[in-house]
């Protein structure tokens, strides 16, 4: 049965890994209070996939096996699949209000599916068959897969092969009949620790002479030689305190890992690109396109929750009838639905690749993500405006619950008759969390830099824009030569 229950997923990730946090080795990471919310978030994916209500969105039929699978392991077979992907991501954002981590491997797989097909066609290699075999196992076992792209990049003014330290970009350092040995680091690794497997891809378009960097492969996340360092997030140590209200979104959260590969062996059958430099750019672009499409779903779902929190706090503050508050809420919805429109639009104009799978429209996916680098900041600014300065002056939960001063704080934090001061406290902390706490990483910084920083989309937009065609339009209308 391909669909794992949330409990089965939890049991399946309980494996030793070489993980560090705050300079110390972490054992049984699944019990760590800073990490656990990120695991709860992934469990939510498995939970919703079990529910009849969400079956159509969360699950689908594998085109490989005909079995019912989690949509996060699907290779898109139609425009409808592309649209449902975005709807699923919005749904999960609504349920967790953070990054649910499972889209990167999903997007990487959809990019690799067509790129491996095209590489085989040109070079008579067998990458597509290897990848298919690997991915059927992922579907059959309902595995969580990370996608590892971003290298540390060293000196940005130099190419990978010119770096003073050749490991600034992950590369092949040795090779034998059985496989390859790789070294380097992949950073900003969303959900790596919570994943069973990882798909490694190059970080940029490579050139002849840079073959050792043009490498893509699948590997188990706890393979020997992989060291993980847990990324800090703003206010993360609030999760170590007694009580939970100061955390804001105390059930769920994202996760980012610094991953170091020290001479890691990759068996031949799991290698999906090795030296084909001219396909590295296509892989990066297709993955980037799929992940930029994703943001038109996931960030919209989180936006829905933040708009809900802003509406709720205006009610708790007694400002909900003020026309300027209504107008700000409408503006938040307008911005949020614009992002969704972009996600749906690039999916609706999807097309079929030669390999048979469907891909989103590249120009509109990049426009989608470019808007995502801006609108969540504006939505967040409006939420802070509506909530009031109290989101960053509020005393701690320990004071709020103190026997000595708790009742005084409660008295002065109470607003409208019949409303509970603690509910107001919770919503204020929740907005703080999304604006400047742990979840601001998911909602803001990821919106800026995830799936490529703004300039990466502008480059793609300029490539896809076809200015010559636009100039011709004017010439035609004005009868110009
Ligand atoms: Fe998925 Fe969004 Fe997180 Fe990327 S940022 S992994 S698209 S939830
Ligand atoms: Fe992301």
């Amino acid at each position: 049965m391909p669909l794992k229950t949330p409990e089965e997923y939890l049991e399946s990730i309980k494996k030793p890994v070489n993980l560090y946090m705050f300079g110390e080795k972490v054992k049984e990471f699944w019990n760590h209070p800073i990490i656990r919310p990120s695991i709860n978030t992934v469990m939510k994916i498995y939970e919703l996939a079990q529910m009849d209500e969400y079956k159509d969105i969360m699950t689908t039929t594998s085109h490989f096996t005909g079995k019912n699978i989690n949509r996060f392991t699907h290779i898109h077979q139609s425009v409808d699949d592309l649209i449902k992907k975005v709807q699923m991501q919005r749904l999960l954002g609504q349920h967790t209000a953070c990054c649910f981590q499972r889209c990167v491997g999903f997007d990487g797989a959809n990019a690799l599916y067509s790129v491996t097909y095209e590489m085989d066609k040109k070079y008579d290699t067998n990458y597509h068959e290897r990848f298919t075999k690997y991915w059927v196992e992922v579907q059959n076992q309902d595995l969580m897969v990370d996608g590892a792209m971003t290298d540390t990049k060293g000196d940005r003014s130099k190419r990978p092969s010119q770096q003073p330290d050749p490991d600034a970009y992950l590369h092949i350092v040795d090779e034998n009949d059985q496989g390859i040995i790789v070294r380097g680091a992949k950073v900003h690794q969303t959900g790596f620790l919570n994943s069973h497997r990882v798909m490694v891809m190059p970080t940029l378009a490579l050139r002849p002479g840079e073959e050792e960097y043009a490498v893509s492969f699948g590997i188990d996340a706890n393979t020997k030689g992989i060291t993980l360092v847990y990324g800090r997030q703003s206010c993360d140590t609030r999760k170590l305190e007694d009580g939970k209200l100061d955390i804001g979104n105390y059930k769920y959260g994202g996760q980012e890992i610094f991953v170091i590969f020290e001479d890691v062996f990759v068996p031949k059958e799991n290698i999906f690109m090795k030296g084909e430099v001219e396909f590295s750019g296509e892989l990066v672009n297709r993955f980037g396109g799929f992940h930029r499409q994703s943001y038109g779903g996931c960030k919209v779902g989180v936006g829905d929750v933040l708009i809900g929190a802003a509406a709720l706090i205006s009610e708790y503050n007694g400002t909900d009838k003020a026309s300027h508050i209504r107008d700000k809420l409408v503006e938040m919805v307008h911005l949020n639905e614009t992002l969704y429109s972009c996600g749906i639009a690039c999916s609706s104009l999807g097309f079929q690749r030669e390999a048979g799978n469907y891909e989103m429209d590249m120009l509109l996916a990049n426009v989608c993500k470019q808007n995502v680098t801006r609108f969540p900041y504006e939505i967040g600014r409006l939420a802070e405006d509506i909530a009031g300065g109290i989101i960053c002056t509020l005393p701690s939960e320990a004071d709020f619950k103190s026997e000595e001063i708790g009742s005084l704080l409660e008295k002065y934090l109470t607003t409208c008759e019949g409303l509970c001061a603690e509910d107001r406290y919770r919503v204020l902390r929740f907005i703080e969390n999304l604006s400047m706490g742990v979840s601001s990483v998911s909602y803001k910084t990821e919106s800026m830099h995830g799936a490529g920083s703004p300039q990466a989309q502008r480059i793609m937009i300029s490539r896809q824009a076809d200015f010559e065609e636009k100039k011709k339009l004017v010439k035609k209308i004005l009868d110009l030569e």
Side-chain angles (χ1 to χ4, degrees), residues 332-438:
M332 291 166 87
V333 172
H334 158 70
L335 292 168
N336 205 39
E337 298 300 335
T338 303
L339 298 180
Y340 188 53
S341 307
C342 292
I344 294 297
C346 70
S347 307
S348 304
L349 293 188
F351 67 100
Q352 191 172 25
R353 283 275 178 201
E354 219 184 320
N357 63 322
Y358 274 71
E359 191 172 304
M360 74 296 125
D361 180 85
M362 192 60 90
L363 174 59
L364 296 192
N366 278 279
V367 170
C368 174
K369 174 65 204 337
Q370 182 80 174
N371 284 332
V372 171
T373 64
R374 299 170 183 171
F375 295 178
Y377 286 84
E378 180 61 7
I379 295 170
R381 188 185 73 79
L382 290 165
E384 286 186 42
D385 180 352
I386 293 170
I390 196 162
I391 56 165
C392 55
T393 63
L394 204 58
S396 72
E397 179 183 354
D399 293 312
F400 188 68
K401 300 232 168 122
S402 141
E403 279 185 19
E404 287 151 57
I405 50 164
S407 57
L408 274 174
L409 287 177
E410 190 166 343
K411 168 179 153 78
Y412 288 106
L413 284 171
T414 298
T415 50
C416 312
E417 222 176 316
L419 286 176
C420 160
E422 185 177 315
D423 288 354
R424 182 170 176 241
Y425 189 99
R426 283 172 183 252
V427 177
L428 288 168
R429 282 287 182 228
F430 187 79
I431 295 172
E432 181 204 25
N433 178 253
L434 273 160
S435 297
M436 56 196 89
V438 169

Side-chain angles (χ1 to χ4, degrees), residues 89 99-104 190 291 294-295 298-299 446:
Q89 288 164 318
C99 167
F100 34 87
Q101 311 149 49
R102 204 176 172 183
C103 325
V104 198
T190 300
H291 209 50
S294 289
Y295 276 47
C298 78
K299 300 303 173 220
E446 269 201 324

